[in-house]
Amino acid sequence: MRNFDYCTPTRLLFGKGVIAQLPAVMKPFGKRILLTYGGGSIKKIGLYQQVLELLKDFEIVECPGIQPNPKYDPSVLLGVRLCKEHKVDAILSVGGGSVLDCSKAIAAGACYDGDPWDLISYKVKAKAALPIVDIITLAATGSEYDCGGVISRTDTNDKIGYIDPLLFPAVSLLDPTYTFTVSPKQTRAGIADAINHVIEQYFTGETTLLTDGLCESTILSLMDSGRKCLANPEDYEARAEMMLCCSLACNDILSLGNSSSGWPCHSIEHALSGFYDITHGEGLAIITPPWMRHILSERTLPRFVKFGTRIFGIDAALDPWEIARKAIDETHRFFEGIGIPMHLREVGIDDSRIDEMAHHIAVNEGLEKAWAPLSERDIREILIASL
Ligand code: NZQ
Ligand code: ZN
């Protein structure tokens, strides 16, 4: 087991009705709050009105319109400007992972005098960030329990995971009832995103019985609760279990002491979203089986055998290569079975920019050092196999 230094300082308030605690939660951070949100879903579900009512004694500055795959320009820049103009004390993010990710970049940018891109692109290390509280309305990314935010720049097709311990939310309020209205498409994408977060931690060289078990349980729980959420969007227990799985899937707790895989699927998917603005979880589901087929080798075989027998109950007495191939087929079948489009063409990506994307990924993501190393040519082959 490898040494580690681990701390998740985020307080989780989980369950039906936790929003009642919002005024008490916000109070220690000050009076002036930047309220960040997306394209309007929080208004449709009544959450926006509820938040304003609960925070009537605070000064609220609004930063609306944050899009999926949140954009540096205009959203991060707008949020930073508003924080500086109004001397905001803290940020309240209400929405999905995109709103929260954008809020994290705003929180750091608000405490920095230069161009916020310096921080996101790691040119400059942030010295401080505003406190962030969030009410998460979509179970997927785990942003509510990690210190990363993924920001896109349309002018350069960059989509960068900006990670800094300063960006952990101070408090995350998780009420599964707010996720009842998440569309089937976004629910599916959330299931795929969280499952892939676990796969990225599972398929690596050094793991333990403990972390393998945590990962396997999380995937099984996501498959089960995810299917139930799709069958009955208002199934509280299923929405709650999915939400908790998503929070735990991306904050390293499932892989303490393990070596890193290099998160290859995310590295590839970020380019797909960066170039084509597709839904993150759909992109991941599409490339996961082709990536698996591509990296299957004598060396990686044992991981596939364990994955296949534990997750899909494949007969351990079969030939290991057969188990591995069945495991990959079953992974594809699961995603397809819950209704995710499983080809890039179905989400609007053809072969015209494959070379450009493969080059972009190879240059920016360092996948030649991944557990299963990928050259530009490998990445290109995975993308072609995903078409
Ligand atoms: O914009 P609004 O109107 O709020 O609508 C959103 C959006 O259209 C809607 N939505 C959210 N909650 C809803 C709802 N609709 C109805 N009812 C609700 N309760 O859903 C749409 C998608 O929202 P978004 O926030 O984009 O989805 P998600 O939470 O999946 O976030 C995706 C982003 O997170 C990044 C992805 O790359 C992508 O940019 N990631 C962040 C990570 C992190 N911070 O750790 C890790 C992930 O790997 C991922 O990369
Ligand atoms: Zn993800």
Side-chain angles (χ1 to χ4, degrees):
M1 191 186 294
R2 295 194 170 187
N3 293 4
F4 59 83
D5 177 347
Y6 183 80
C7 174
T8 298
T10 304
R11 174 180 169 207
L12 295 184
L13 283 170
F14 191 100
K16 216 176 274 187
V18 291
I19 196 170
Q21 299 176 58
L22 187 63
V25 163
M26 296 308 300
K27 203 169 168 204
F29 301 115
K31 276 258 164 205
R32 282 180 300 267
I33 309 296
L34 184 78
L35 172 64
T36 52
Y37 57 96
S41 70
I42 66 160
K43 293 189 175 169
K44 283 196 203 121
I45 65 176
L47 183 53
Y48 170 81
Q49 294 80 351
Q50 211 177 354
V51 166
L52 289 189
E53 178 59 28
L54 283 164
L55 298 185
K56 57 182 184 309
D57 295 333
F58 292 75
E59 289 168 38
I60 305 293
V61 178
E62 297 195 22
C63 179
I66 297 171
Q67 297 166 333
N69 298 322
K71 313 295 181 285
Y72 176 67
D73 187 1
S75 293
V76 175
L77 292 175
L78 170 67
V80 169
R81 183 169 59 72
L82 291 171
C83 285
K84 289 182 176 174
E85 264 174 31
H86 296 272
K87 300 196 171 22
V88 158
D89 297 313
I91 300 178
L92 174 62
S93 162
V94 186
S98 293
V99 175
L100 182 49
D101 283 7
C102 188
S103 305
K104 290 176 177 179
I106 294 170
C111 300
Y112 175 66
D113 286 338
D115 183 344
W117 192 254
D118 294 347
L119 308 172
I120 298 165
S121 61
Y122 299 101
K123 204 171 111 194
V124 176
K125 164 86 180 79
K127 291 198 174 68
L130 290 177
I132 303 162
V133 173
D134 66 88
I135 301 173
I136 202 85
T137 62
L138 194 163
T141 62
S143 187
E144 65 279 9
Y145 208 36
D146 71 26
C147 62
V150 188
I151 303 298
S152 297
R153 235 188 128 129
T154 29
D155 53 341
T156 54
N157 300 127
D158 279 316
K159 184 171 177 186
I160 295 187
Y162 173 36
I163 299 172
D164 189 314
L166 290 168
L167 305 181
F168 275 112
V171 187
S172 291
L173 289 90
L174 297 109
D175 182 336
T177 61
Y178 295 137
T179 66
F180 286 176
T181 52
V182 174
S183 66
K185 174 187 164 84
Q186 291 295 340
T187 302
R188 292 179 197 118
I191 298 165
D193 188 18
I195 288 178
N196 191 270
H197 291 164
V198 187
I199 286 175
E200 300 273 43
Q201 295 168 83
Y202 192 83
F203 282 86
T204 187
E206 296 167 45
T207 68
T208 60
L209 195 55
L210 171 68
T211 54
D212 282 355
L214 292 171
C215 288
E216 288 155 9
S217 290
T218 309
I219 294 178
L220 290 170
S221 167
L222 280 162
M223 287 175 158
D224 182 65
S225 59
R227 281 196 188 102
K228 287 178 180 157
C229 292
L230 289 167
N232 175 10
E234 302 201 5
D235 179 337
Y236 179 82
E237 290 304 322
R239 288 287 192 187
E241 188 161 336
M242 180 173 163
M243 195 169 213
L244 186 54
C245 284
C246 290
S247 298
L248 296 178
C250 200
N251 89 336
D252 292 341
I253 200 158
L254 304 180
S255 54
L256 292 177
N258 290 358
S259 59
S260 170
S261 70
W263 287 62
C265 295
H266 275 69
S267 301
I268 297 174
E269 199 295 314
H270 283 171
L272 298 177
S273 297
F275 280 67
Y276 289 94
D277 213 356
I278 64 166
T279 299
H280 174 64
E282 290 183 349
L284 287 172
I286 294 169
I287 57 174
T288 299
W291 166 76
M292 287 176 153
R293 271 184 209 103
H294 197 88
I295 65 148
L296 177 59
S297 69
E298 198 73 55
R299 186 173 74 88
T300 62
L301 182 63
R303 293 312 289 162
F304 284 96
V305 170
K306 190 159 190 190
F307 182 75
T309 52
R310 298 296 174 100
I311 302 299
F312 298 110
I314 299 169
D315 182 356
L318 293 174
D319 173 69
W321 289 92
E322 193 182 346
I323 297 174
R325 290 195 189 99
K326 276 183 189 284
I328 298 170
D329 291 345
E330 289 291 341
T331 304
H332 181 102
R333 206 166 294 140
F334 171 78
F335 289 136
E336 194 175 49
I338 61 168
I340 298 185
M342 289 303 286
H343 298 279
L344 291 179
R345 289 187 199 280
E346 292 175 71
V347 295
I349 301 178
D350 61 16
D351 61 1
S352 59
R353 300 185 78 184
I354 294 278
D355 290 347
E356 204 185 333
M357 287 194 290
H359 184 68
H360 186 91
I361 297 162
V363 169
N364 292 298
E365 302 288 348
L367 289 179
E368 72 284 354
K369 294 200 188 96
W371 169 65
L374 298 176
S375 66
E376 183 169 333
R377 188 169 158 193
D378 293 316
I379 296 163
R380 187 172 173 278
E381 285 174 10
I382 292 168
L383 290 173
I384 288 171
S386 307
L387 282 169

